[in-house]
Amino acid sequence: MNKLSIVTAFTIGACTLLGAQTASAQTTEVPGYSSLAGKTVVYIPIAMNYSLTQAWYAGMVREAERFGYEIIVRDPNWDANASIQAFQAAIRDQPDLIVTLPTDTTSISRLITKAQNAGIPVIEMQQLTSVEPDIYIGAVSYTHLTL
């Protein structure tokens, strides 16, 4: 299964956290979900002592158990330098997907490009960097859109 299918299946699962469930999204037999089994997802939040990142993680754990993928958390604990190091380590480890709620939207932009060039899709949550992620989950600000 290709990386886009993995990102799509993961995103559908993540969207269930937002209450966007459908009857078909509640079964593991939906095409695409089987592509998640045995995959590795690296989650790099702002910090794990923050209620929003804990909620995202709880939902990802629920979906990981349901669909058979592994989540590795790299907690930078509000430190932009630690976030850069976590991202660099994730790229070296070659996971199937990186999910991030960026600590600093400027400092990891080039690392997102580096991950994508290495064939690792990136999902950004809540904050956009200056680089276009494969998927963005969060509020849309019209200042980010070109009309």
Side-chain angles (χ1 to χ4, degrees):
M1 192 62 63
N2 67 29
K3 295 273 185 179
L4 182 58
S5 297
I6 294 166
V7 171
T8 302
F10 183 84
T11 302
I12 291 169
C15 287
T16 64
L17 295 172
L18 302 174
Q21 292 182 336
T22 65
S24 64
Q26 296 176 15
T27 176
T28 58
E29 298 176 16
V30 174
Y33 281 113
S34 62
S35 66
L36 293 172
K39 303 297 182 188
T40 302
V41 174
V42 172
Y43 177 43
I44 307 170
I46 287 176
M48 285 304 293
N49 62 357
Y50 180 46
S51 61
L52 179 64
T53 59
Q54 290 172 356
W56 279 109
Y57 179 64
M60 286 189 281
V61 166
R62 184 187 68 219
E63 297 299 304
E65 290 170 353
R66 186 172 166 202
F67 298 112
Y69 62 89
E70 176 186 16
I71 298 177
I72 298 170
V73 177
R74 303 216 173 176
D75 182 3
N77 196 26
W78 302 97
D79 183 332
N81 289 326
S83 181
I84 291 168
Q85 292 170 0
F87 223 100
Q88 290 170 332
I91 293 168
R92 279 192 306 272
D93 291 346
Q94 289 288 302
D96 297 289
L97 177 66
I98 296 173
V99 178
T100 185
L101 196 166
T103 303
D104 175 6
T105 59
T106 304
S107 61
I108 68 161
S109 292
R110 71 175 180 77
L111 294 172
I112 290 172
T113 300
K114 186 175 180 178
Q116 291 169 324
N117 289 340
I120 306 166
V122 177
I123 295 177
E124 288 182 16
M125 299 187 311
Q126 298 303 116
Q127 299 186 94
L128 286 167
T129 61
S130 61
V131 175
E132 186 174 334
D134 294 282
I135 301 285
Y136 170 69
I137 301 171
V140 175
S141 170
Y142 292 104
T143 60
H144 290 90
L145 300 177
T146 304
L147 300 175

